[in-house]
Amino acid sequence: KVADLKGLKRGYLKLCVITTAKYFAPEVLGRFCQRHQGVDVALKVTNRDSVLERLIANKDDLYILGQNPERDLEMIATPFAPNPLHVIAHREHPLALERNIPVERLAEEYFIMREPGSGIRDYVLKTFGEAGLKPRVRMELGSNEAIKHAIYGKLGLSVLSLHTLAQEAESSELAILDVQGFPLERQWYVAHAKGKELSVVADAFIDFLGEESGRLCRQLDETRARLTRFQPPA
Ligand code: PGA
């Protein structure tokens, strides 16, 4: 493509992403803008329900979703990288060393839950519901970052996208739990409304996300290795 060879002379990309994508989307945009120095970008971060509302109302050029929406929507969605959900606890929590924890055991613990409208919240409720269980919700928080701090404060367990933990060091107070059925393996999708004519910049960005997938996978592997305390199987 001409755009790849020369760099786009100018252009504008309006991107709207789901909350957990804010942990990588700005860096990806930064690398994209380095390659295409004439391109300006805008980034909106919000939860699943409002990303889908904006998509239906055609407010942005492209959307990044944490999974393919189960709802029937007129859109084109292309997967580009994994987006696993893990159960997270304080590293001093006794479950941090256990293997193969049944979901029933989680129902005995306090849970920190995302707000209504969050895709992750629905996933957690569905997973518990399928096992005939209800989480003991201690508090609801509208931000992944606030949830991490609530776990530092030992207020309970939660389910987070592994990307939200990318900046946690080996000495982090957070640990991944080895729960049956987890991680929930999902994919990142880049999407736009069906029938929308994409700009050259938007097209170039979709291709660029494909190129970034290897880097995102490596980052996930490193994060998982740093935050695992239970002994992986030999
Ligand atoms: P949410 O979605 O921010 O709406 O929970 C994030 C995700 O599905 O990864």
Side-chain angles (χ1 to χ4, degrees), residues 68-140:
N68 203 358
E70 286 149 17
R71 277 197 251 159
D72 211 6
L73 292 172
E74 291 284 295
M75 62 182 235
I76 311 279
T78 315
F80 64 90
N83 178 23
L85 290 183
H86 282 269
V87 184
I88 307 298
H90 193 280
R91 66 175 278 119
E92 286 163 10
H93 196 291
L95 289 180
L97 296 172
E98 277 186 34
R99 299 248 3 252
N100 217 14
I101 303 162
V103 176
E104 290 74 13
R105 177 67 186 80
L106 291 189
E108 295 169 24
E109 299 288 326
Y110 279 123
F111 237 79
I112 305 155
M113 194 61 98
R114 283 282 304 280
E115 78 289 357
S118 146
I120 294 180
R121 173 197 176 95
D122 284 358
Y123 242 145
V124 173
L125 291 175
K126 192 170 129 216
T127 306
F128 273 82
E130 280 167 1
L133 301 165
K134 258 196 183 156
R136 288 171 73 192
V137 178
R138 186 174 225 176
M139 64 196 296
E140 268 186 15

Side-chain angles (χ1 to χ4, degrees), residues 18-20 46-49 66-67 83 85 114 117-121 144 161 186 188:
I18 200 145
T19 61
T20 42
T46 184
N47 74 14
R48 185 206 49 197
D49 280 7
Q67 63 181 103
N83 178 23
L85 290 183
R114 283 282 304 280
S118 146
I120 294 180
R121 173 197 176 95
N144 295 303
S161 160
R186 308 181 309 156
W188 289 111

Side-chain angles (χ1 to χ4, degrees), residues 197-217:
E197 201 172 320
L198 291 184
S199 65
V200 180
V201 180
D203 257 336
F205 189 68
I206 294 176
D207 290 346
F208 191 75
L209 283 171
E211 286 179 38
E212 288 280 312
S213 134
R215 185 195 289 262
L216 291 170
C217 289

